[in-house]
Amino acid sequence: ITPASVTIIFLGITIGTIMTMSSSNWLMAWIGLELNMLAILPIISKPKTTRASEATTKYFLTQAIASAMMLLSSTMNAWQTGNWSILELKNKFSTTIMALSLMMKMGAAPIHFWLPEVLQGTTLQTALLITTWQKIAPVTLMYMISNNIQPTILVSAGILSMIIGGLGGINQTQLRKMMAYSSINNLGWTITIMAFFPNMALMNIFTYIIMTTPIFLMMTNMSTKTLQNLSTTWTTSMTMTLSITLLMLSTSGLPPFTGFMPKMLILNELISQKLTTLATLAI
C-alpha cells in the first residue's frame, strides 16, 4: 500500500466519524458512517489470508445491514414527521429500529456475533481500531437519541451484553476474542446507563477506550496473540506483562483500579433510580 492510499484511508476513517458526530441530519450521519466503513475495509483485508478476507466480508455485510436499517428508520420517521433532524426521532417504531441498527454497528448483544470473528481474523492494530475508534460514531448517535429510546430496549440489550460478554470471555484462549467479549461487556454497561444518565455512558466508553488502547499496543509490541504467549513473555519483558495484567484487571472493573470508577457510578445511579434488581444483575 502506497503512502498516498494510506493517507486517503485514514482520512476517510477520521472524516467519516467526525462527520457523523457533528451532523444534525440523518442523511449526513449515514454518509459519515458509510465513508468510515468503506475506509476501514482495506485495512481489515490487508493481510493476504483467507481469514482476513472472511473477516472483511463479515464486517462489510453486518455494517451494510445496519446502515440499511438506519436508512429505513430515518426515512420512516421523515415520512411521518417531515423532518430529517436527529433530535426529532419521535416515531416509536423508527426509534427501536434505529437503536437496533446502532447496537449492530457497535457490536452489542444480541447482534454481537460478528465482533469476535472479525477481531480474530484481523491484526492487533486493526482490532484496536475496531474496538475503540469505530465505537465512537454509533455511541454518539445513540447518545443524541437516548431521550427517545424506550428504556426497556436499552436495559434489555445492556444486561444481555453484560452476560454474553462476561460468559463468552471465560472460554477463550485467543486474546483478540477475549478483548472482543470485553468490548461487548463494556458496551452492556454503556447501553444500560444510556437510558438514565447519557453523560455517564460517554464517560464509561471513553474510560474503556483509554484502558484498551495500551493493552492492544503492548500486545502488538510483544507479538502476543494467545494466553500461552502471554504467559511466556514474563521472562523477556516483566514490566510489560505486569502492565497488561493490571490493565486487564482495570478493564474488568476490579477495585481499586480506574475501570472500577465508572462501574461504581453506574451502579450508584441504577440504585438511586430504584433499579436495585438491575444493579444486582449487573454485579
Side-chain angles (χ1 to χ4, degrees):
I1 297 178
T2 60
S5 57
V6 170
T7 309
I8 291 166
I9 286 167
F10 278 99
L11 268 176
I13 290 172
T14 313
I15 291 168
T17 301
I18 292 168
M19 192 190 290
T20 303
M21 288 172 72
S22 57
S23 62
S24 59
N25 181 296
W26 279 119
L27 278 179
M28 287 305 291
W30 174 76
I31 290 166
L33 286 169
E34 287 298 290
L35 177 64
N36 179 283
M37 178 191 75
L38 292 171
I40 202 173
L41 291 177
I43 299 176
I44 302 172
S45 62
K46 188 178 178 287
K48 295 293 174 275
T49 59
T50 316
R51 184 165 266 183
S53 306
E54 188 186 326
T56 311
T57 311
K58 281 178 181 172
Y59 186 83
F60 172 72
L61 290 174
T62 314
Q63 298 294 317
I65 293 164
S67 294
M69 285 168 69
M70 268 189 76
L71 267 186
L72 170 70
S73 166
S74 51
T75 309
M76 281 184 64
N77 187 65
W79 194 4
Q80 288 212 338
T81 62
N83 200 324
W84 282 96
S85 171
I86 290 176
L87 300 173
E88 293 296 319
L89 195 69
K90 301 294 183 191
N91 183 345
K92 273 191 178 182
F93 182 72
S94 296
T95 315
T96 308
I97 298 287
M98 185 61 74
L100 285 172
S101 73
L102 292 174
M103 284 173 203
M104 197 172 191
K105 278 212 167 281
M106 62 177 93
I111 325 167
H112 66 284
F113 50 84
W114 62 272
L115 189 61
E117 298 300 319
V118 169
L119 288 203
Q120 189 54 36
T122 60
T123 60
L124 285 163
Q125 295 97 319
T126 313
L128 166 65
L129 199 60
I130 293 168
T131 50
T132 55
W133 184 258
Q134 294 298 94
K135 297 271 190 290
I136 296 172
V139 166
T140 308
L141 285 176
M142 191 172 269
Y143 173 82
M144 290 166 85
I145 63 165
S146 58
N147 290 337
N148 299 328
I149 307 173
Q150 290 168 286
T152 319
I153 295 165
L154 289 176
V155 169
S156 305
I159 292 291
L160 196 60
S161 296
M162 284 183 209
I163 294 166
I164 288 171
L167 295 178
I170 293 171
N171 201 26
Q172 298 301 329
T173 54
Q174 296 287 334
L175 289 174
R176 279 167 295 182
K177 277 198 174 181
M178 278 178 69
M179 294 307 291
Y181 282 109
S182 164
S183 171
I184 294 164
N185 178 271
N186 189 270
L187 280 171
W189 287 88
T190 306
I191 292 167
T192 304
I193 199 62
M194 189 75 80
F196 310 104
F197 201 154
N199 290 347
M200 200 177 285
L202 286 190
M203 185 194 72
N204 183 56
I205 198 77
F206 282 114
T207 308
Y208 170 76
I209 288 170
I210 290 162
M211 289 187 302
T212 303
T213 307
I215 294 177
F216 272 110
L217 292 175
M218 282 190 277
M219 288 197 306
T220 309
N221 191 21
M222 295 193 295
S223 301
T224 53
K225 291 179 181 174
T226 63
L227 279 175
Q228 193 176 3
N229 293 152
L230 200 59
S231 62
T232 55
T233 52
W234 182 259
T235 48
T236 52
S237 179
M238 193 170 79
T239 314
M240 218 170 269
T241 313
L242 190 64
S243 301
I244 286 186
T245 311
L246 293 174
L247 277 164
M248 280 186 166
L249 289 172
S250 180
T251 314
S252 62
L254 201 76
F257 299 108
T258 314
F260 174 65
M261 179 193 65
K263 288 184 171 61
M264 184 186 70
L265 292 172
I266 288 169
L267 286 172
N268 182 49
E269 183 62 27
L270 290 174
I271 291 163
S272 67
Q273 293 275 358
K274 304 284 190 295
L275 296 165
T276 321
T277 317
L278 202 59
T280 315
L281 265 173
I283 294 166

